[in-house]
Amino acid sequence: MRRRLFAWQLLMLVAIFGVWQLLTQPGLVPPIVWENPDRAAFFFGEPIRIFKVIWAWFTEGAIYQHLWVTLQETALAFVIGAALGLAAGLWLGLSPTAAALLDPYVTAMNAMPRVVLAPIFMVWFGLGIWSKVALGVTLVFFIVFFNVYQGVKEVSPVVLNNTLMLGANRRQLLRHVYLPSATSWVFSSLHTSVGMALVGAVVGEYLGSARGVGYLIQQAEGAFDINTVFAGILVLTAFALVLDFAVAQAEKRLLVWRPGQSETEQL
């Protein structure tokens, strides 16, 4: 069943690129839409040329140094942002007084458009990887923070009271009750967080960098090379899917205690 579903998904992807290629061919779209028959290919690119760019990048090795830089920035932003979000979520979830005191400040910082911080981070940290990491951290932090905070607040009172009756101290409660509850919420947010870490890295590269996939896209856009722009977008999309798959595999290994869907239905 899974192979059949994958086959249909692959067929749909091929169909999308096939239709895209056909619609960008000169003379196919009526002239009332485009005065110049080559205008469609100029604005939307051609999949064949896009894949030629990607093929040249990987066969000639030009893309690897840029992918490595983007991977470093994404991984650092993801790990640091997730760790800070986990720590802050646990702290405020277990400290009602601190949560009430800091609530307006957390809300205000979350409402702030983080992208506008990119120029400030470049002034503070320079044009190296750390300005991109800082931007990515601000995007990841709040996603993980709110999920962990909600996970701690929604710990079952029955489980909590039973654990206290068994004589558990605060450290044991944190390890055996609060952390397992928060972990489920953390992994539900990490699939989004890894994408946001990548967004922060690429946006930072786009605004100011000498390396990275975002830098390649920015250079291609400056030259009006739409095929290279789409090539960069496709590479980033595949890159994000690989990172999301890695998070999914880590989730399966760390949450082996959580019942699957079939087990839940049987219960």
Side-chain angles (χ1 to χ4, degrees), residues 24 174 208 266:
T24 55
L174 179 63
Q266 291 175 2

Side-chain angles (χ1 to χ4, degrees), residues 19-220:
V19 172
W20 183 359
Q21 181 67 37
L22 287 174
L23 291 178
T24 55
Q25 296 306 299
L28 185 62
V29 179
I32 59 174
V33 179
W34 306 107
E35 295 179 0
N36 188 332
D38 296 322
R39 191 66 60 86
F42 175 79
F43 279 103
F44 298 104
E46 298 178 75
I48 292 179
R49 294 187 179 182
I50 293 170
F51 288 118
K52 285 182 178 179
V53 172
I54 296 174
W55 177 261
W57 277 349
F58 283 95
T59 55
E60 297 173 5
I63 190 69
Y64 294 114
Q65 61 171 334
H66 297 285
L67 270 177
W68 173 241
V69 171
T70 303
L71 175 60
Q72 286 181 297
E73 295 164 351
T74 303
L76 287 170
F78 178 70
V79 172
I80 296 173
L84 292 177
L86 176 62
L90 286 172
W91 173 47
L92 294 186
L94 298 174
S95 305
T97 303
L101 178 65
L102 297 177
D103 178 69
Y105 300 99
V106 172
T107 303
M109 288 188 292
N110 183 47
M112 181 187 304
R114 261 84 74 185
V115 175
V116 301
L117 296 174
I120 298 176
F121 290 145
M122 290 180 186
V123 173
W124 290 352
F125 303 109
L127 296 178
I129 67 171
W130 289 108
S131 58
K132 288 75 177 175
V133 170
L135 180 60
V137 167
T138 62
L139 296 173
V140 172
F141 171 81
F142 288 100
I143 298 174
V144 177
F145 165 76
F146 284 115
N147 277 273
V148 173
Y149 180 78
Q150 191 67 24
V152 172
K153 300 298 288 185
E154 293 194 4
V155 169
S156 172
V158 175
V159 175
L160 189 59
N161 291 331
N162 289 341
T163 309
L164 289 172
M165 288 176 60
L166 293 173
N169 56 34
R170 188 174 181 85
R171 179 177 297 179
Q172 290 171 328
L173 283 175
L174 179 63
R175 179 180 178 183
H176 298 290
V177 178
Y178 289 113
L179 276 177
S181 176
T183 302
S184 299
W185 288 78
V186 167
F187 275 102
S188 69
S189 66
L190 290 188
H191 294 282
T192 304
S193 299
V194 69
M196 296 307 294
L198 181 60
V199 168
V202 172
V203 170
E205 292 170 352
Y206 187 87
L207 294 178
S209 180
R211 289 181 298 173
V213 181
Y215 165 77
L216 292 179
I217 294 175
Q218 191 272 338
Q219 292 294 306

